Amino acid sequence: MKNEVLIQIGSVASATVSDGRTRDRVAQLLLTRGATTAAELGAELGLSPAAIRKHLDAMLAEDLVETRELRSDKPRGRGRPAKAFVLTAAGREDLNPHHYDGIATAALRWIADNHGPEAVSAFASAQVQALGDRLAAALRSAGHDPIARAEALAEALTAEGYAASATTIASGGQLCQHHCPVAHVAAEFPQLCDAETEVISRLIGTHVQRLATIAHGDGVCTTHIPASSGAPTAITVRTDT
């Protein structure tokens, strides 16, 4: 009887560990891809619809994911509109805990109170400069082809923890960050986002425009990169941090 109980406890513990690992894989996939349907998640992870639903329902209950209605230009058939799942701020925090956000925010408040917003901007630029230098070093052998540079930038950003990818779109380019390591701080101090945007502009070699940020409640940080005149293609850089 005692052995049977121990076996049952061991089986439950093993199942719990397995569930935790699967949930981590679901979360990592959402972090990388952004909004993704349950069917896409299940297919990627080799899970049945019932299995993937179990994990997503648990993550919904814990406020780790939320649902969004998928937009499509195609005529919608009968039935409910398709839903996609995205990580919430709590879900991102669960994957990448920001233990020092409180200290960083307090430090920036002190700088702002004692030296003004210009000092916060200067501090943000100095902090992002180191990242810019590392990314620039990775682009030295990329040449001048915009797609090659975008791919090199994506690879360098991935090494920095942004899980980046680069593609091409018709109207220009777009940089999408599915995770921001300073989102909690940048929510109060957008100078951090501004400094990062300036680095992206310098590395790409053209003016870019930040359209949305995780810090302000958007699902991803989105930066538009216009097609340069005379360039045959346009750049899209997606960074999933």
Side-chain angles (χ1 to χ4, degrees):
M1 181 67 177
K2 182 178 179 181
N3 288 339
E4 290 179 0
V5 171
L6 290 175
I7 290 173
Q8 290 176 355
I9 292 174
S11 297
V12 171
S14 178
T16 301
V17 171
S18 178
D19 282 350
R21 289 174 179 169
T22 301
R23 184 186 296 194
D24 286 344
R25 292 171 65 202
V26 171
Q28 288 290 350
L29 194 56
L30 288 173
L31 182 67
T32 301
R33 290 192 174 184
T36 311
T37 66
E40 291 169 338
L41 288 168
E44 179 71 20
L45 299 174
L47 297 174
S48 67
I52 193 66
R53 271 288 172 190
K54 180 186 75 171
H55 292 289
L56 290 172
D57 287 344
M59 295 172 77
L60 280 167
E62 296 176 26
D63 193 34
L64 299 177
V65 300
E66 61 186 8
T67 59
R68 293 183 181 174
E69 184 174 330
L70 281 179
R71 297 179 181 179
S72 176
D73 296 330
K74 298 179 181 179
R76 198 175 72 196
R78 295 181 178 179
R80 297 180 179 178
K83 297 284 186 181
F85 293 83
V86 296
L87 286 177
T88 62
R92 293 191 184 93
E93 176 75 18
D94 193 54
L95 280 173
N96 297 279
H98 304 295
H99 299 296
Y100 300 105
D101 279 356
I103 295 175
T105 302
L108 286 173
R109 285 174 185 162
W110 187 91
I111 292 173
D113 291 342
N114 289 274
H115 302 284
E118 296 81 5
V120 175
S121 296
F123 174 84
S125 296
Q127 292 301 302
V128 177
Q129 182 62 46
L131 171 63
D133 291 344
R134 293 195 300 272
L135 295 175
L139 294 179
R140 285 173 185 164
S141 60
H144 299 290
D145 176 71
I147 296 301
R149 290 187 68 79
E151 290 174 348
L153 177 58
E155 184 176 346
L157 284 166
T158 296
E160 294 288 338
Y162 289 85
S165 61
T167 56
T168 300
I169 61 175
S171 63
Q174 177 172 290
L175 178 95
C176 298
Q177 294 169 241
H178 292 282
H179 171 68
C180 174
V182 295
H184 291 68
V185 183
E188 184 172 344
F189 297 98
Q191 293 97 325
L192 293 169
C193 297
D194 295 340
E196 183 181 86
T197 304
E198 290 177 6
V199 167
I200 294 169
S201 177
R202 175 167 58 83
L203 293 172
I204 294 297
T206 186
H207 172 74
V208 301
Q209 181 180 8
R210 184 63 60 93
L211 303 178
T213 64
I214 293 171
H216 289 94
D218 299 298
V220 296
C221 294
T222 306
T223 304
H224 180 252
I225 304 170
S228 59
S229 59
T233 55
I235 309 169
T236 295
V237 183
R238 299 182 57 189
T239 61
D240 314 322
T241 8

